């Protein structure tokens, strides 16, 4: 067994994947205030499809002895994303959005591993620990750029029900460290987490088309 806590091993094993996920033209243009509200809505839309799948997996695995400790109803994002989509696109938001090809691939993978607790944890960790960390900086910038307030627009990034984010993240890491699985399963979770980072990076990469269309207009 590794002497280091699993949360540290997992973080170190995926750090390069995390950094590559941050180097993206869409996020750079978004943070620079170069995109319209509708172009920002494209990101919300892709998140919506991914989180419908992820939160669905959470509900299905709530009683699982391995995955259950990572099911936090206060993290569910579907309702927040609907409020954000309504704010950006209006009441007819459903007819305005569709999953991109990379998002369909990501959703298919989440659904595929939804019966494997370790796979679920890998995707849950990849998304939520990012949302609770760098996602908070993104929220503050979006509020400055678009003027959104709580109630719609950036609700995806608001985790008021969680309480202290640093304390929650520490508790999350403690649960990773306490996972009742062997070393082989931990390595399998690491591999799936790296795949999850790759699939999420491809979703962002595909949004580069939005940047090209906006800047060419």
């Amino acid at each position: 067994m590794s002497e280091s806590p699993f949360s540290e091993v997992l973080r170190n094993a995926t750090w390069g994947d995390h950094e590559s996920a941050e180097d993206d033209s869409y996020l750079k243009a978004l943070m620079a205030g170069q995109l319209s509200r509708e172009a920002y809505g494209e990101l919300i839309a892709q998140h919506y499809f991914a989180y419908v799948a992820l939160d669905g997996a959470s509900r299905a695995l709530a009683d699982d002895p391995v995955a259950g400790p990572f099911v936090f109803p206060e993290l569910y994002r579907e309702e927040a994303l609907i409020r954000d989509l309504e704010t950006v696109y209006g009441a007819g938001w459903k007819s305005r959005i569709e999953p991109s090809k990379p998002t369909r691939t990501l959703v298919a993978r989440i659904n595929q591993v939804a019966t494997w607790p370790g796979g679920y944890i890998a995707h849950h960790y990849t998304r939520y620990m990012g949302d609770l960390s760098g996602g908070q900086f993104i929220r503050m910038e979006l509020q400055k750029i678009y003027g959104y307030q709580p109630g719609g627009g950036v609700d995806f990034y608001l985790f008021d029900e969680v309480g202290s984010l640093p304390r929650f993240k520490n508790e999350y890491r403690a649960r990773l460290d306490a996972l009742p699985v062997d070393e082989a399963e931990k390595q399998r979770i690491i591999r799936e987490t790296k795949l999850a980072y790759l699939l999420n990076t491809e979703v962002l990469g595909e949004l580069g088309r939005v940047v090209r269309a906006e800047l060419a207009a």
Side-chain angles (χ1 to χ4, degrees):
M1 295 292 287
S2 171
E3 295 181 2
S4 299
F6 181 57
S7 59
E8 185 179 327
V9 173
L10 181 61
R11 180 179 182 275
N12 291 339
T14 58
W15 186 248
D17 306 273
H18 176 74
E19 287 189 317
S20 66
E22 291 182 336
D23 183 20
D24 175 78
S25 62
Y26 176 85
L27 281 182
K28 287 179 178 176
L30 183 65
M31 294 295 94
Q34 297 175 329
L35 302 182
S36 66
R37 291 182 181 226
E38 289 74 16
Y40 162 53
E42 292 268 4
L43 176 64
I44 306 172
Q46 303 315 311
H47 280 157
Y48 171 77
F49 294 109
Y51 280 89
V52 166
L54 188 57
D55 292 347
S58 292
R59 294 182 180 94
L61 289 167
D63 296 326
D64 184 88
V66 175
F70 297 87
V71 175
F72 301 92
E74 60 268 35
L75 289 183
Y76 291 170
R77 294 291 89 190
E78 184 176 349
E79 290 184 8
L81 285 162
I82 289 174
R83 289 195 299 273
D84 291 344
L85 286 165
E86 287 176 339
T87 299
V88 174
Y89 292 127
W93 62 270
K94 272 199 172 180
S95 65
R96 298 282 302 275
I97 68 171
E98 62 179 347
S100 65
K101 184 176 180 181
T103 295
R104 291 196 297 272
T105 301
L106 171 62
V107 167
R109 184 58 184 175
I110 292 172
N111 290 336
Q112 188 177 8
V113 301
T115 56
W116 166 35
Y120 161 76
I121 291 168
H123 286 269
H124 193 275
Y125 168 85
T126 299
R127 282 298 340 167
Y128 278 115
M129 287 299 268
D131 300 333
L132 293 166
S133 300
Q136 298 309 298
F137 170 76
I138 293 174
R139 173 184 59 80
M140 289 186 288
E141 291 302 302
L142 292 175
Q143 286 182 299
K144 293 176 190 174
I145 293 166
Y146 300 108
Y148 291 129
Q149 298 299 319
V154 291
D155 281 16
F156 168 73
Y157 299 103
L158 294 173
F159 291 90
D160 294 342
E161 293 182 25
V162 168
S164 166
L165 297 190
R167 185 168 61 244
F168 181 86
K169 288 190 288 183
N170 284 337
E171 172 60 26
Y172 194 105
R173 294 185 188 102
R175 295 187 185 200
L176 284 172
D177 296 339
L179 270 174
V181 298
D182 62 18
E183 188 65 24
E185 178 65 1
K186 288 179 179 178
Q187 291 301 316
R188 194 177 171 209
I189 291 171
I190 288 172
R191 289 193 297 272
E192 186 65 29
T193 303
K194 291 173 75 69
L195 175 61
Y197 270 115
L198 174 62
L199 295 177
N200 279 279
T201 299
E202 289 176 346
V203 171
L204 282 175
E206 199 277 340
L207 284 170
R209 64 176 171 77
V210 177
V211 178
R212 292 188 291 274
E214 286 265 311
L215 300 184

